[in-house]
Amino acid sequence: MFEKTSYLLLLWLLPVIALLLRSAFRRKRKAAERFLEPVMVERLIPRFDPARAFFRGLILLTAMMFLFFAAAGPQYGVYFEDVSRRGADVFVLLDVSRSMLAEDVPPNRLQRAKSDIRDLLQRVVGDRVGLIVFAGKPVLKVPLTTDQGFFNEVLEKVDTKSAPSGGTAISDAIRKALDSLSQETDRDRAMVLITDGDDQDSMPLEAAKQAAAQKVRILTIGLGDPVEGGRIPIRDEAGKRTFLQYKGQEVWSKVDEKSLKEIADITGGVYIPASGKAFDLGQIYVNYLGRMQGTEFQIEHRKRYRQQFQIFLAVAVGLLFVYLLVPEYRSGDHQNAMRG
């Protein structure tokens, strides 16, 4: 099976590439005939050898086929992973303001955040997870659910237009999550706040105190460079890329680590900086919030498939080396043509 089957559509390019390879030699020879005498053409460009050309072309096309297979993410070989099911409720609060388009965290803050959320989902099997996106106002995109397929579908479509713009209101997002969380006392409750922390005077610390009073911990993830920050790219109707300006000056967005640390401290959570560093948000969740009450309901054996793209990639690279080592003409062709 393949993880990204859309890449298999690239296989339709192979016949086209084969035709282009065949016509490339002919165009080269015709170009030479246009400027040289026939005798010189024979000396400089040996005659087309169908068998050798077929062999080299087959090697190249096979290498490309294996590259396409590797890109599609082949998976086979099953293993089982033990996952603790605990019955927690977790809301992900995702900042979708325009400042999240800054590229100081590659590829940009928002895309990095979405990738981290997918890591988190791998670790919360059996827990209910919800999604709230916010900018000027919060929007409940996914109510608490165990349906990760639905969650991922919604997450994939999230962009900076998913919530009303006009700033970053962290406190409103926290209160929205508090209103949406279950009031069951036997369930752990937590939030994962992912933002650059550039709050627009919404008093997030007051909202954090409300969360603490309800025994809801908040794990805060700060996306962005706290020192230099990053510019906010925008595109006009023609697709031209510029950067957001205010009063004639480019806006540089910096992560506000101070407020994010305070939110985490107030609620008994933890602050994690993500200024270009690679980390597994799922593992961080397990380490810091995954055992809030120390209660585990059961152990689930989760079926997983092993990633095997490395094999296909290695074969493709090997074939490309063979292609480069096999000459286009027989070793004696050129010498015989020159002597003639």
Side-chain angles (χ1 to χ4, degrees):
M1 63 180 295
F2 293 90
E3 184 179 13
K4 302 173 183 177
T5 55
S6 59
Y7 280 96
L8 296 178
L9 296 175
L10 294 173
L11 293 172
W12 288 101
L13 293 175
L14 295 179
V16 177
I17 296 172
L19 293 175
L20 291 175
L21 289 173
R22 180 174 178 80
S23 64
F25 181 87
R26 293 182 174 180
R27 287 199 304 269
K28 181 169 64 174
R29 187 176 182 87
K30 287 180 179 179
E33 290 174 349
R34 198 174 296 125
F35 298 101
L36 300 173
E37 295 292 333
V39 175
M40 294 301 298
V41 172
E42 293 298 330
R43 290 184 176 182
L44 296 176
I45 302 179
R47 290 189 177 277
F48 179 69
D49 184 343
R52 181 172 291 269
F54 175 79
F55 180 65
R56 294 185 82 246
L58 182 62
I59 293 174
L60 180 60
L61 292 174
T62 305
M64 297 187 70
M65 179 183 69
F66 274 91
L67 281 176
F68 295 157
F69 282 144
Q75 298 175 318
Y76 58 88
V78 176
Y79 70 99
F80 292 89
E81 181 180 51
D82 290 341
V83 180
S84 300
R85 296 189 59 185
R86 310 182 51 260
D89 289 339
V90 183
F91 255 111
V92 177
L93 313 182
L94 176 58
D95 186 351
V96 294
S97 60
R98 285 195 298 179
S99 61
M100 291 291 284
L101 295 177
E103 298 170 348
D104 50 351
V105 177
N108 63 42
R109 296 175 183 176
L110 182 57
Q111 291 303 317
R112 167 64 182 276
K114 292 167 71 171
S115 176
D116 291 339
I117 292 170
R118 295 186 189 99
D119 291 340
L120 172 66
L121 292 178
Q122 299 293 320
R123 299 284 184 158
V124 292
V125 180
D127 293 345
R128 296 188 300 194
V129 186
L131 176 64
I132 292 175
V133 299
F134 66 95
K137 292 183 179 180
V139 176
L140 177 64
K141 300 295 287 187
V142 180
L144 289 170
T145 180
T146 58
D147 187 348
Q148 293 193 6
F150 170 67
F151 191 106
N152 274 311
E153 287 182 12
V154 175
L155 179 64
E156 184 67 28
K157 299 176 183 177
V158 166
D159 57 24
T160 54
K161 298 179 182 179
S162 298
S165 59
T168 304
I170 294 176
S171 66
D172 291 345
I174 294 175
R175 292 189 179 97
K176 182 77 171 179
L178 289 175
D179 292 340
S180 303
L181 278 168
S182 168
Q183 299 303 312
E184 299 175 41
T185 57
D186 61 340
R187 297 182 69 88
D188 293 342
R189 297 182 299 165
M191 300 180 199
V192 178
L193 172 63
I194 307 177
T195 177
D196 54 23
D198 189 13
D199 186 77
Q200 305 298 314
D201 299 324
S202 69
M203 298 185 1
L205 300 185
E206 295 301 318
K209 292 176 182 177
Q210 294 179 26
Q214 297 183 36
K215 298 182 179 179
V216 178
R217 298 189 184 185
I218 303 179
L219 171 66
T220 59
I221 309 295
L223 285 169
D225 189 325
V227 180
E228 295 184 3
R231 296 179 296 176
I232 303 172
I234 57 175
R235 294 186 182 276
D236 58 21
E237 295 179 355
K240 182 180 179 181
R241 184 171 182 265
T242 57
F243 295 94
L244 184 66
Q245 294 188 359
Y246 179 73
K247 294 183 178 181
Q249 299 292 325
E250 288 184 346
V251 176
W252 286 76
S253 172
K254 301 179 182 179
V255 63
D256 183 359
E257 291 190 310
K258 181 176 182 293
S259 62
L260 294 179
K261 288 177 181 177
E262 290 177 341
I263 291 172
D265 290 342
I266 290 172
T267 62
V270 64
Y271 167 69
I272 304 296
S275 54
K277 299 178 181 178
F279 63 85
D280 185 340
L281 179 56
Q283 187 60 52
I284 290 173
Y285 170 81
V286 170
N287 291 344
Y288 291 99
L289 301 183
R291 287 177 170 77
M292 289 179 285
Q293 294 178 355
T295 303
E296 295 184 354
F297 295 153
Q298 66 183 59
I299 300 296
E300 179 183 88
H301 297 286
R302 190 176 186 190
K303 184 178 180 180
R304 296 187 182 277
Y305 294 93
R306 299 185 187 279
Q307 295 285 349
Q308 304 289 356
F309 72 93
Q310 302 92 333
I311 299 174
F312 290 84
L313 184 60
V315 172
V317 172
L319 288 171
L320 288 175
F321 273 113
V322 173
Y323 175 80
L324 294 174
L325 292 174
V326 175
E328 188 173 0
Y329 309 107
R330 291 191 181 95
S331 59
D333 285 352
H334 235 119
Q335 295 176 4
N336 293 335
M338 294 299 292
R339 289 169 185 167

